[in-house]
Amino acid sequence: MTQSESLLASRYAAAELAGALLLGKYARTTKEDYFRKQLTWQCYEEAGHAWMWTKVLQDQNLPLLEIHEKNEYFSYATELKNDLEFLAWAHVYELRADFHLKVHVQLASLDPAFKKTMQQVIEDEDEHLDWIAVYLEKLQKEGNKDVASYIQKWGGIEDRTYLEFVKK
């Protein structure tokens, strides 16, 4: 595994763990049983992804690096007003993560264990995207106008924070 892959595995582990913690925190505050169950499951999966990245490093006797990068998009989570806005916020972020991983996994020179882990994470992320997308589409078909405005709002914020991250 290259040094840059080792760093990325540590960064991915840290990001997955941060996502798991945020999902778990929100699962504990929602009043909706369906959301609580779905978010608890997704929290479990994201924490599992953090472990998968950690295990890739461990299996190659590499350290899990201490990562303290701040995810600017996550800093906006304090502004979320309700379950619907949280789901839109999470969905927008998952779309970016899915895109990023699917581009990255196509690199021919990836370490086989790194690539295998990435492929498994991508598979799981598709399930995360699906349940939220289906739920948001159902609400839109029922006439909910907030879905589109939340997706637009968080899409704009995510675009801006991602571009700032890429420039660093």
Side-chain angles (χ1 to χ4, degrees), residues 3 8 19 34 56 58 74 88 99 101 111-112 125 134 141 154:
Q3 187 175 3
L8 278 173
Y34 174 73
V56 163
Q58 180 179 303
F74 277 33
F99 166 79
L101 291 171
D111 173 83
E125 294 298 338
V134 167
K141 286 178 184 173
W154 292 108

Side-chain angles (χ1 to χ4, degrees), residues 7 38 80 82 154:
L7 173 61
Q38 289 299 110
L80 300 168
N82 55 54
W154 292 108

Side-chain angles (χ1 to χ4, degrees), residues 83-120:
D83 289 346
L84 179 57
E85 187 169 15
F86 178 80
L87 290 177
W89 176 90
H91 188 66
V92 165
Y93 186 78
E94 290 283 353
L95 286 169
R96 176 68 73 188
D98 186 63
F99 166 79
H100 180 80
L101 291 171
K102 285 179 177 172
V103 168
H104 191 175
V105 78
Q106 293 178 31
L107 297 175
S109 62
L110 289 178
D111 173 83
F114 186 90
K115 187 171 190 160
K116 182 180 177 188
T117 299
M118 188 172 285
Q119 288 167 329
Q120 180 60 53

Side-chain angles (χ1 to χ4, degrees), residues 14-124:
E16 295 284 3
L17 189 55
L21 292 170
L22 192 58
L23 288 164
K25 182 179 176 183
Y26 203 83
R28 293 184 65 211
T29 63
T30 184
K31 303 292 184 227
E32 296 293 326
D33 179 62
Y34 174 73
F35 294 143
R36 191 174 309 105
K37 289 174 182 171
Q38 289 299 110
L39 293 172
T40 299
W41 161 74
Q42 192 168 338
C43 170
Y44 159 80
E45 290 233 332
E46 301 295 0
H49 295 163
W51 172 244
M52 289 166 62
W53 288 116
T54 302
K55 184 112 174 66
V56 163
L57 293 167
Q58 180 179 303
D59 289 349
Q60 296 194 29
N61 294 316
L62 295 168
L64 175 63
L65 302 173
E66 194 172 335
I67 304 290
H68 294 288
E69 294 173 338
K70 184 178 177 188
N71 183 322
E72 291 299 323
Y73 187 73
F74 277 33
S75 70
Y76 285 92
T78 58
E79 296 179 17
L80 300 168
K81 295 176 181 64
N82 55 54
D83 289 346
L84 179 57
E85 187 169 15
F86 178 80
L87 290 177
W89 176 90
H91 188 66
V92 165
Y93 186 78
E94 290 283 353
L95 286 169
R96 176 68 73 188
D98 186 63
F99 166 79
H100 180 80
L101 291 171
K102 285 179 177 172
V103 168
H104 191 175
V105 78
Q106 293 178 31
L107 297 175
S109 62
L110 289 178
D111 173 83
F114 186 90
K115 187 171 190 160
K116 182 180 177 188
T117 299
M118 188 172 285
Q119 288 167 329
Q120 180 60 53
V121 169
I122 288 169
E123 236 177 79
D124 293 346

